[in-house]
Amino acid sequence: VALQNIIHLGASTRKMGRIILSLSYFCLHLLASSAARKPNFVMVIADDLGFDDICFDEEKHWNNNFRDCSVTPTFLQLQKEGIILNNFYVQPLCSPTRGALLTGKYPIHTGLQTHVLQPTQPGGLPLHHRTIAEELKDKFGYRTTLVGKWHLGYSKKKFLPTYRGFDEFYGMYVGAADHYERN
């Protein structure tokens, strides 16, 4: 069921969050129990990326006259072999979107609805909100890795990705960092 359909049915945000989380657990449980080997999955979140900035489907790509889909062959292969869940409600800022994706909760419920976390700001994604990495690790035995930008707090160790369910982290803690120079 598309997220917009749930919203139009008038479900409360709390109920909607529970529905999404329950469906996620159900799907993960089915996947884990139906195969001897757990499936891999990759979640991609990209800041300031428009819907049609990358190729999701070579045959249906809106701007195929302007962009060659073959420039991202690995990304295309991942899409062909996997499931694309491309109906996620994002925020105009990165911290609220990241918090929502990792917890399954709207930013208003995590306290991240109005701003990005600044480098000198204490705190982070509230600790009582479990991340999908924590759930996958604790309930299904997955190994988890985060590559890229965290931007959900780093003032104390308990807010770091490796304390929020990720076994490994390669990237930056804050936004507006240079990916090559790491500054």
Side-chain angles (χ1 to χ4, degrees), residues 48-78:
D48 304 321
L49 184 66
F51 176 78
D52 207 30
D53 287 346
I54 58 172
C55 187
F56 274 108
D57 185 336
E58 291 174 284
E59 296 171 14
K60 297 179 183 175
H61 190 59
W62 295 358
N63 292 329
N64 59 11
N65 294 329
F66 305 105
R67 190 173 297 104
D68 181 7
C69 290
S70 67
V71 298
T72 56
T74 304
F75 192 67
L76 287 172
Q77 189 65 31
L78 284 170

Side-chain angles (χ1 to χ4, degrees), residues 3 8-9 17 73 79 83 88 92-93 96-97 105 111-112 120 127 131 137-138 144 155 175:
L3 188 56
H8 292 302
L9 290 175
Q79 295 175 63
I83 300 170
F88 176 71
L93 301 168
T97 295
K105 298 179 181 179
L112 297 173
T120 58
L127 300 174
T131 67
K137 190 174 178 175
D138 295 347
T144 57
S155 63

Side-chain angles (χ1 to χ4, degrees), residues 5 15 29 40-41 43-45 58 60 70 87 94 100 102 128 130 135 143-144 172 182-183:
N5 291 342
K15 184 177 179 183
H29 176 69
N40 294 321
F41 68 93
M43 293 185 345
V44 176
I45 185 168
E58 291 174 284
K60 297 179 183 175
S70 67
N87 198 8
C94 55
L102 291 176
H128 64 277
R130 290 180 54 85
E135 295 293 324
R143 287 200 38 79
T144 57
M172 293 80 54
R182 293 188 56 109
N183 59 23

Side-chain angles (χ1 to χ4, degrees), residues 83-148:
I83 300 170
I84 299 173
L85 304 173
N86 60 359
N87 198 8
F88 176 71
Y89 182 68
V90 298
Q91 303 296 307
L93 301 168
C94 55
S95 293
T97 295
R98 280 177 168 69
L101 179 65
L102 291 176
T103 63
K105 298 179 181 179
Y106 282 121
I108 191 77
H109 299 292
T110 61
L112 297 173
Q113 71 274 16
T114 61
H115 63 283
V116 296
L117 292 168
Q118 299 299 319
T120 58
Q121 184 177 345
L125 180 66
L127 300 174
H128 64 277
H129 295 295
R130 290 180 54 85
T131 67
I132 190 170
E134 291 170 304
E135 295 293 324
L136 288 171
K137 190 174 178 175
D138 295 347
K139 293 185 179 177
F140 301 101
Y142 272 86
R143 287 200 38 79
T144 57
T145 301
L146 175 65
V147 178

